[in-house]
């Protein structure tokens, strides 16, 4: 199983395959209303588009969280303690991770991500730049319970789970609770979690962040259809769909959809799916939480909220949670 992309990286490939993708797409398009999981956004093109989103003027979360990490990483490191095993869900390009790893000097770093290409590249770079840290890269769908491989030899080290980027917001509330419960079990008694959480704010700022002027978020959303076409040989006219994003104030979440511009049919793996004009595929939720709401969620999952950092404009928060001993 180990595929070393650098001498210090051990690599475990537990990621979903084409069969899983096909099954999930068929199940999602068979539902009413139609829905697809946002985890499938992140093929190579989708990961590139997401990186471009992170640099958009309208998309405030990434730059705000990075600035917060630069400002507070030392305080965080003091609380997290030296020589921990740092387990990151959704490591992506790892821009925030580098700041944390530098301040923290962990014994081991375990990035877990569904995006295989990005994971391979980032973990090799990190291992090269921090040769004293053992890097164990795991390609996996972490939205499901996962026994993290390769960390048994660090039995005596504190486990710290890092989940930046407000990816927690891409889960529904029950999914977020069960994800956090699983993370708590991985963290073990005495462990800790650092979670980046986007804060509730005015809907104008939120709309702009998810429907940018250059259309990068639209392309990111539409790439999901292009991916289904590419990987599953589906018959889809991607131009007959458009990106829609709006803030659902009542549920406290941005919703992203792909809206059919006409009555049409889509064929995936010999299955025909009928779309009415205006019908949508719900592709993503991005929940926004107040500090109190997120702390409540964390408590419901068995964590103890200990500290929280925010920027001056109250756009974004980073929570420090502990697993009761
Ligand atoms: C990865 N995730 C936290 C992003 C978000 O803001 O929900 C994904 C994203 N979707 C559209 N823009 C960014």
């Amino acid at each position: 199983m180990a595929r070393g992309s650098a001498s210090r990286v051990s690599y475990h490939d537990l990621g979903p395959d084409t069969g899983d993708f096909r099954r999930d797409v068929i199940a999602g398009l068979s539902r009413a209303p139609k829905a697809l999981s946002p985890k499938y956004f992140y093929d190579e093109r989708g990961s590139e588009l997401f990186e471009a989103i992170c640099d958009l003027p309208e998309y405030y979360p990434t730059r705000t969280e990075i600035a917060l990490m630069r400002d507070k990483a030392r305080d965080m490191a003091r609380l997290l303690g030296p020589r921990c095993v740092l387990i990151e869900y959704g490591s992506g390009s790892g821009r925030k991770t580098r700041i944390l790893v530098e301040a923290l000097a962990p014994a081991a770093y375990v990035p877990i991500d569904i995006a295989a290409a990005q994971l391979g590249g980032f973990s090799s770079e990190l291992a090269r730049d921090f040769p004293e840290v053992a890097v164990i890269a795991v390609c996996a769908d972490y939205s499901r319970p996962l026994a993290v491989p390769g960390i048994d030899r660090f039995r005596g080290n504190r486990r710290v789970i890092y989940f930046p980027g407000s990816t927690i917001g891409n889960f529904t509330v029950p999914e977020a609770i069960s994800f956090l419960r699983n993370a708590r079990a991985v963290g073990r008694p005495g462990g800790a979690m650092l979670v980046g959480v986007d804060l509730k704010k005015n809907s104008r700022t939120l709309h702009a962040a998810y429907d940018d002027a250059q259309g990068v978020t639209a392309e990111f959303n539409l790439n999901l259809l292009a991916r289904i076409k590419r990987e599953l040989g589906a018959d889809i006219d991607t131009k007959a769909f458009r990106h829609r994003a709006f803030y659902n104030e009542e549920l406290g979440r941005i919703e992203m959809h792909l809206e059919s511009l006409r009555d049409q049919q889509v064929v995936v793996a010999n299955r025909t799916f009928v779309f009415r004009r205006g019908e949508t595929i719900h592709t993503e939720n991005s929940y926004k939480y107040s500090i109190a709401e997120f702390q409540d969620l964390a408590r419901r999952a068995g964590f103890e909220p200990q500290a929280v950092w925010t920027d001056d404009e109250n756009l974004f928060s980073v929570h420090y949670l502990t697993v009761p001993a």
Side-chain angles (χ1 to χ4, degrees), residues 206-281:
L206 289 169
H207 277 137
Y210 290 84
D211 198 5
D212 62 280
Q214 293 171 59
V216 182
T217 311
E219 202 184 332
F220 173 70
N221 199 5
L222 285 158
N223 179 59
L224 185 51
L225 293 179
R227 178 180 185 186
I228 293 170
K229 238 178 124 155
R230 270 193 305 270
E231 290 185 26
L232 305 181
D235 183 9
I236 308 178
D237 179 3
T238 54
K239 294 208 169 53
F241 287 86
R242 74 165 181 122
H243 165 68
R244 275 196 62 205
F246 57 89
Y247 186 54
N248 182 332
E249 191 119 31
E250 204 186 314
L251 296 177
R253 69 189 194 194
I254 285 279
E255 292 186 19
M256 293 213 316
H257 294 255
L258 289 162
E259 180 185 325
S260 177
L261 295 172
R262 53 175 163 80
D263 290 354
Q264 60 176 317
Q265 293 187 348
V266 157
V267 182
V268 186
N270 295 322
R271 305 274 293 266
T272 301
F273 300 96
V274 176
F275 285 80
R276 296 263 149 261
R277 179 165 177 242
E279 186 179 355
T280 73
I281 309 172

Side-chain angles (χ1 to χ4, degrees), residues 41-42 50 53 59 61 165-167 170 209-210 217 220 256 284-286 288:
F41 280 140
Y42 302 94
F50 181 64
I53 287 174
Y59 195 74
S166 203
T167 305
N170 297 139
Y210 290 84
T217 311
F220 173 70
M256 293 213 316
E284 187 178 64
N285 291 315
S286 197
K288 310 301 167 188

